[in-house]
Amino acid sequence: MNSGHKYLRSLLRRKSLDAVLVWNLENIRYLCGFTGSEGVLIYTEEEKIFLSDSRYEEQARDEVRGAVFRKFKKKIEGIAQSLRSLGVKRLGFEASALSWESYQALKEYLPRVNLVPLLGQITLLRARKEPEEVEKIRRAIAIASEAFQDTLPRLKPRVREKTVGDFLEFRMKRRGGESSSFPIIVASGVRAALPHGKASAKGIEKGEMVIIDFGARHEGYHSDETKTVVLGKPESRQRKVYDLVLKAQERAIRAVRPGESVRRIDNAAREVITRAGYGKFFGHGTGHGIGLAVHEAPTISPRGSGVVEEGMVFSIEPGVYIPGWGGIRLEDLVLVTDRGCEVLTYLSKELKDNIL
Ligand code: ZN
Ligand code: ZN
């Protein structure tokens, strides 16, 4: 049983809820082990009911732990029946997961049930990782890193970005990964100014910098890492901006400790880049939590809220993107420890180790 159960029980009490309707599939997997793509979990202090349709009956009986299985023909009708049988009067639901359509249908079936939207509170459910979860993330990192090393010899002038991305993905699967965490980003030369430049048909040229953002999935858990490599001897501006991003990343990593606010961690990186006059070229947040989802709590950004806690795993990924010139991003994953953090990703981000 993971700490999510304790978290949810205290949420039930704090909000005086009789039950929480867990709709998000990652939350369902986290709480009862179901890995399929259709189902809901009704969560009360005493009882947990997992509902799905007949396609998933066998899988549910096989995977689900700590909840009874019930089959539905019509989803909302099935949920309503179970909620009535439990006598639920105040029901919490994940505001960001339930569609407006499902919400309306639920209201119609259960006119006397008070539906309580859960916003920020529920997003923290999976934020603190159990040691077993950290191990899965470590394994995902190892798979991705080994696959990246396999791919390095293929990073040559005239090779297309997409060829590099495809090979990297293939190697991740070969090394035991379930899949790539997300469509791999390979953005070279001026395309590196696009923070999310998916691998394209563009050929990589000598002298260009290439942002490669990649991750593997292992037993449902993801890794996420970004390297920026340069093909040939870097020129002075490339050196300067690279060192700046590296320094920003190091500052943010050094700022991570239990109780530190997400905004201050973000600002530790942002300040370095802003002071050097590149602030307007760093348009995204510094990091995001990762686990069963590639992007989850906490959000390390100027718009984030709260503090980081021991056991959280998130990325630190500052970048500088200059239109018409290119870009540099460096991304590592950190685990918050009792006093600071451990950097889980291990491929070197020093420029000298990233010159091909
Ligand atoms: Zn990434
Ligand atoms: Zn990321």
Side-chain angles (χ1 to χ4, degrees):
M1 204 132 99
N2 53 45
S3 61
H5 292 274
K6 207 172 132 198
Y7 186 87
L8 214 50
R9 275 202 301 272
S10 97
L11 188 63
L12 280 164
R13 278 176 221 154
R14 268 202 329 270
K15 299 237 144 199
S16 313
L17 301 169
D18 299 315
V20 173
L21 180 65
V22 187
W23 196 273
N24 172 288
L25 287 167
E26 280 108 23
N27 285 344
I28 290 171
R29 178 173 186 162
Y30 181 68
L31 292 165
C32 74
F34 179 71
T35 67
S37 54
E38 171 68 304
V40 287
L41 178 66
I42 296 172
Y43 198 101
T44 73
E45 288 238 22
E46 284 81 33
E47 279 177 89
K48 283 101 194 136
I49 302 173
F50 175 72
L51 298 110
S52 187
D53 63 42
S54 58
R55 292 171 301 164
Y56 288 106
E57 190 166 359
E58 238 183 275
Q59 187 179 346
R61 294 198 191 283
D62 204 38
E63 292 179 339
V64 172
R65 297 285 173 269
V68 295
F69 173 70
R70 275 190 203 163
K71 192 163 53 175
F72 61 70
K73 280 209 177 74
K74 287 185 183 157
K75 191 173 183 175
I76 300 292
E77 208 177 286
I79 294 169
Q81 261 169 20
S82 287
L83 288 169
R84 266 188 232 114
S85 76
L86 291 167
V88 172
K89 298 207 170 52
R90 253 174 87 78
L91 175 69
F93 68 94
E94 300 146 292
S96 61
L98 206 70
S99 70
W100 189 84
E101 199 181 13
S102 303
Y103 172 78
Q104 290 297 332
L106 209 55
K107 253 183 26 181
E108 241 168 72
Y109 272 101
L110 301 161
R112 274 182 283 280
V113 173
N114 190 354
L115 299 175
V116 183
L118 302 172
L119 303 156
Q121 312 95 340
I122 198 84
T123 64
L124 287 169
L125 174 68
R126 307 192 313 265
R128 291 180 70 164
K129 267 63 184 177
E130 303 291 317
E132 307 87 75
E133 296 183 277
V134 175
E135 277 322 300
K136 287 175 186 171
I137 295 171
R138 280 186 207 275
R139 184 71 204 121
I141 291 169
I143 291 165
S145 304
E146 286 162 11
F148 182 84
Q149 311 276 34
D150 298 340
T151 308
L152 273 178
R154 307 242 165 173
L155 267 164
K156 288 219 166 72
R158 287 188 299 283
V159 172
R160 291 173 195 272
E161 293 172 354
K162 196 174 175 317
T163 309
V164 174
D166 288 349
F167 188 74
L168 178 51
E169 184 167 357
F170 163 73
R171 290 306 305 172
M172 287 196 279
K173 287 185 180 164
R174 259 301 164 84
R175 289 195 173 272
E178 289 167 357
S179 66
S180 177
S181 291
F182 45 81
I184 295 170
I185 290 169
V186 182
S188 61
V190 292
R191 285 195 77 252
L194 309 167
H196 279 141
K198 257 195 333 198
S200 77
K202 176 189 173 297
I204 298 167
E205 302 300 334
K206 201 164 179 285
E208 282 184 343
M209 293 197 115
V210 190
I211 291 180
I212 305 171
D213 190 343
F214 61 101
R217 184 178 143 122
H218 168 70
E219 292 185 22
Y221 285 79
H222 300 87
S223 77
D224 184 9
E225 173 167 9
T226 307
K227 299 262 281 173
T228 300
V229 298
V230 54
L231 265 70
K233 198 168 169 277
E235 41 120 72
S236 72
R237 193 182 193 191
Q238 288 174 329
R239 246 177 224 290
K240 195 176 143 204
V241 179
Y242 192 102
D243 288 341
L244 180 67
V245 175
L246 184 61
K247 191 171 154 199
Q249 197 206 24
E250 284 167 353
R251 285 283 169 85
I253 290 171
R254 247 186 283 152
V256 177
R257 66 181 68 87
E260 185 58 295
S261 83
V262 296
R263 287 189 192 183
R264 281 179 52 140
I265 297 168
D266 174 87
N267 194 54
R270 200 164 300 282
E271 196 176 54
V272 173
I273 293 173
T274 305
R275 282 211 178 136
Y278 289 87
K280 65 171 184 224
F281 301 122
F282 176 25
H284 57 73
T286 294
H288 55 86
I290 190 162
L292 285 170
V294 180
H295 293 101
E296 56 183 50
T299 300
I300 314 293
S301 95
R303 293 169 298 282
S305 61
V307 298
V308 302
E309 293 171 49
E310 189 177 350
M312 286 182 172
V313 176
F314 51 85
S315 69
I316 296 287
E317 50 176 309
V320 166
Y321 314 92
I322 305 171
W325 179 72
I328 291 160
R329 175 168 67 257
L330 301 173
E331 175 178 26
D332 281 308
L333 295 185
V334 300
L335 163 68
V336 185
T337 57
D338 58 344
R339 287 183 187 177
C341 72
E342 180 194 348
V343 182
L344 298 176
T345 36
Y346 55 83
L347 295 177
S348 168
K349 302 298 183 299
E350 297 285 335
L351 178 58
K352 65 176 170 46
D353 300 320
N354 287 289
I355 298 170
L356 305 179

